[in-house]
Amino acid sequence: MAGDDFAGLLRELKERSGLSYGALGKRLHMSGSTLHRYVSGEVVPVEFAPVERLARVCRATPEELLELHRRWIRADALRGVKKEETERPEEPEGPMDSADPVDSESPKDSEGAGSEEPEEPAVADSAPAVLTPPVPPRRRVPRAALYAATGVVAVSAAVALVANLVSSPDDTEGSRRPAGAVAHSSASQSGTAPASPSTSPSPSSSTSPSPSVSLSPSGPSSASPARTGPAAPDRRAPSTGTPFTVATNPYYWYLPCDHAFLVDRSPENVPKPPPQQGAVGWAAPLKAVSANRQEVVLTVQGTGPETVILEDLHVRVVSSGPALDWNQYVMGNGCGGQVDTKSFDVSLDLGTPTATPIGGQRDFPYSVSESDAEVFHVTAHTSGQDVRWYLELEWSSGGRHEVTRVDDHGRPFRTSASRDASYYAYPLGGDGGWELVEGD
C-alpha cells in the first residue's frame, strides 16, 4: 500500500539519523508518540509540513524529499478510499430489509403471479364509479448491486486521483515529473532584489510554479454518485510570490541609553534625540549609523491560510571596513545598565556571523500563517569594524523552499564601532543642547 511505502521511507530516514523519538520531538517541537505513529504508518499526516521538517532534521537529500512528498501525496489520496471500504451504508428500515437476492421482485412486480388486486371500497348507489389508473410497478435497487456500484466508483476515483498527482497538467509524453518539486530561489522583502548575487536569480526572473495537484477525479460530476471521503483543505503556498510579510524596525531600544548613533556632524547641527518610534525619521536625513550595537526587530506574518515554516535565519555581510571616525550621540543618559532580552545575537566581528539565540530565545524553526505571527529581535554588535549586512529568512511551504532577504527597506543594515569611548548626551528634560561626556 502507498501508506506503507511512505512510512517505510520515513523509518529509513529516522534510523539513519541515529536520533531517538524523544530527541527528534524536542527538535521539531512535537511529541515522540506522534512521530512514532508517523514512522510506524499508523497515521498519515494531513499536511506535508511536519514531514518535511522531520526529513530535514534527519538530513534528507533533495531527491529523498521529492520522493517522500510523492509518497505522502499517494498515501493521503488513498486515505479516503480505505475509509470508504471499511464503511457500509446503513440498511434501510421497512420492507426492503426482507428483500430477496439480486433481481428479486415483490409479488406486485411479477406478472402472471396470480395475485389479486385489492377490492374497490363500496360506494353509495347514487355516486358514479371512479376508475383509478393502475400504478406502474417500481423496482427496488437490491443492496448488493448498490454496494457493487459504490465500490466501482470509489476505485475509479482513486485511480484518476493518483494519475493526476504524479503527472504534469498536460500529461504529454516526456512531461511527467514528481508532484511538489522543490524550488530554490531568493527574493528580497519586496520581491525585487536577489538575496545573493552569486546564487540567486535576477530580479526579473520568476520562480517556476509547482505542479498543480487536483483533488477531484476527472470527468463530469454526474459520473460520481459516491464521494471517496472529505477533501482536505488547500494549505499549499501560492506558486509565485512570498506567502508572508516582514515588517522591519531597524532601530529599536528598550531604554534610550541602549542605543547610540555615529553622525558626521558637529553637535550644533544635530537635532535632539527622537523617541524610539521616530528613530528612522531622525537617522535617515543625518545618514546616521548605529554605534557599536544595533537591535533590529522583525515581525513576520503569513498572508494566507497556508502554514509557512521559517527554517532558519542567516546573516550575510556585504562589506566590512575600519570603524567610522564620527561623533557618537547617545539617545539618552542616566538610565542605568542595559536590559537583557530574548533575541538572536550576531557578532559582526566573526568571519562568518551567525544568529545565536540568547536570553531564553528559542531557536528555529518557527511557523507563521495569516492568524499566527512571530516577532524576532536580532542584536548585532561590533567592536572594531564598519559593517554593512542583511538577513535571510529560509522558509518552506508545501513544495516550495526559498530564501527571502530582509534589510533596511532596500538597503543593508549598517553598524560601526566608535573610535573612542567619548560621546555626546542630551540632558533629559533640558534644551541646553548636546553635552560632551569624556570616556574613561
Side-chain angles (χ1 to χ4, degrees), residues 226-268:
R227 296 183 61 183
T228 59
D234 188 358
R235 292 184 175 273
R236 295 172 296 155
S239 57
T240 58
T242 305
F244 59 89
T245 60
V246 183
T248 306
N249 183 352
Y251 311 118
Y252 181 85
W253 57 77
Y254 288 95
L255 298 173
C257 56
D258 283 347
H259 196 93
F261 286 98
L262 297 176
V263 182
D264 192 20
R265 293 190 182 186
S266 61
E268 295 79 12

Side-chain angles (χ1 to χ4, degrees), residues 121-352:
V123 295
D125 294 338
S126 60
V130 178
L131 298 180
T132 304
V135 178
R138 182 178 61 184
R139 287 179 176 269
R140 58 181 297 276
V141 180
R143 282 175 287 131
L146 177 62
Y147 295 157
T150 304
V152 170
V153 172
V155 173
S156 300
V159 172
L161 177 59
V162 173
N164 286 340
L165 291 173
V166 298
S167 64
S168 62
D170 55 9
D171 203 25
T172 56
E173 188 65 24
S175 64
R176 297 178 183 268
R177 59 188 183 276
V182 178
H184 292 273
S185 66
S186 301
S188 69
Q189 178 183 346
S190 59
T192 58
S196 176
S198 60
T199 60
S200 305
S202 63
S204 60
S205 64
S206 60
T207 305
S208 300
S210 302
S212 60
V213 179
S214 174
L215 295 181
S216 301
S218 59
S221 59
S222 59
S224 300
R227 296 183 61 183
T228 59
D234 188 358
R235 292 184 175 273
R236 295 172 296 155
S239 57
T240 58
T242 305
F244 59 89
T245 60
V246 183
T248 306
N249 183 352
Y251 311 118
Y252 181 85
W253 57 77
Y254 288 95
L255 298 173
C257 56
D258 283 347
H259 196 93
F261 286 98
L262 297 176
V263 182
D264 192 20
R265 293 190 182 186
S266 61
E268 295 79 12
N269 297 313
V270 176
K272 67 179 183 179
Q276 192 273 324
Q277 61 270 23
V280 174
W282 184 92
L286 297 174
K287 298 183 180 179
V289 176
S290 292
N292 304 310
R293 65 190 300 270
Q294 179 174 2
E295 185 163 353
V296 177
V297 179
L298 314 178
T299 302
V300 186
Q301 184 172 15
T303 55
E306 67 275 358
T307 299
V308 181
I309 305 301
L310 305 179
E311 303 282 358
D312 210 343
L313 182 66
H314 306 288
V315 183
R316 303 299 185 213
V317 173
V318 177
S319 64
S320 180
L324 297 175
D325 190 15
W326 294 357
N327 292 329
Q328 181 179 182
Y329 296 88
V330 177
M331 297 296 97
N333 61 353
C335 54
Q338 295 178 351
V339 178
D340 292 330
T341 60
K342 290 184 178 181
S343 67
F344 290 91
D345 183 80
V346 177
S347 176
L348 298 174
D349 295 330
L350 298 177
T352 305

Side-chain angles (χ1 to χ4, degrees), residues 250-251 280 284 318 389-390 405-414:
Y251 311 118
V280 174
V318 177
W389 56 282
Y390 61 88
R405 171 169 169 160
V406 181
D407 53 27
D408 186 1
H409 305 90
R411 303 182 304 273
F413 302 112
R414 188 178 184 183

